[in-house]
Amino acid sequence: LAVSVGSDGARQTSKGIYTPTTTRVSLGTYEVTWGTAHPDGVNYVAQITGAGYVMMHDTTRTSTYLKYFVKDAAGNLIDKWCCITIL
């Protein structure tokens, strides 16, 4: 699946056979969930990209869930638009 997530956590667009739910949990912290377990379990590839210099990394994942943080160059949590691809 692929999903564009706004800085407010709202799903902007998505592609794929699953429709994800996106949430802004707190400053710079986001969650993406989808209804059917990934065939690779927790071993899927998560590609997170954004505009400008942004450091992003996933912290928690299950076969139907991904939690990630967005930070600026100084390491501060920030709200920022991004695109996520789950392979």
Side-chain angles (χ1 to χ4, degrees):
L1 73 92
V3 60
S4 174
V5 182
S7 61
D8 62 354
R11 176 173 42 95
Q12 305 295 310
T13 60
S14 64
K15 297 287 183 182
I17 58 175
Y18 307 116
T19 301
T21 300
T22 59
T23 306
R24 178 187 175 273
V25 178
S26 61
L27 178 65
T29 306
Y30 299 87
E31 295 175 335
V32 180
T33 59
W34 53 96
T36 301
H38 193 283
D40 292 333
V42 298
N43 297 316
Y44 54 82
V45 174
Q47 180 181 13
I48 306 171
T49 58
Y53 183 88
V54 179
M55 187 170 46
M56 301 178 189
H57 58 91
D58 65 66
T59 60
T60 307
R61 63 169 66 190
T62 70
S63 62
T64 60
Y65 170 85
L66 174 68
K67 181 177 182 178
Y68 65 96
F69 294 119
V70 180
K71 297 180 179 183
D72 64 15
N76 301 308
L77 289 169
I78 59 170
D79 289 331
K80 189 85 168 180
W81 165 92
C82 72
C83 186
I84 301 170
T85 304
I86 305 293
L87 302 172

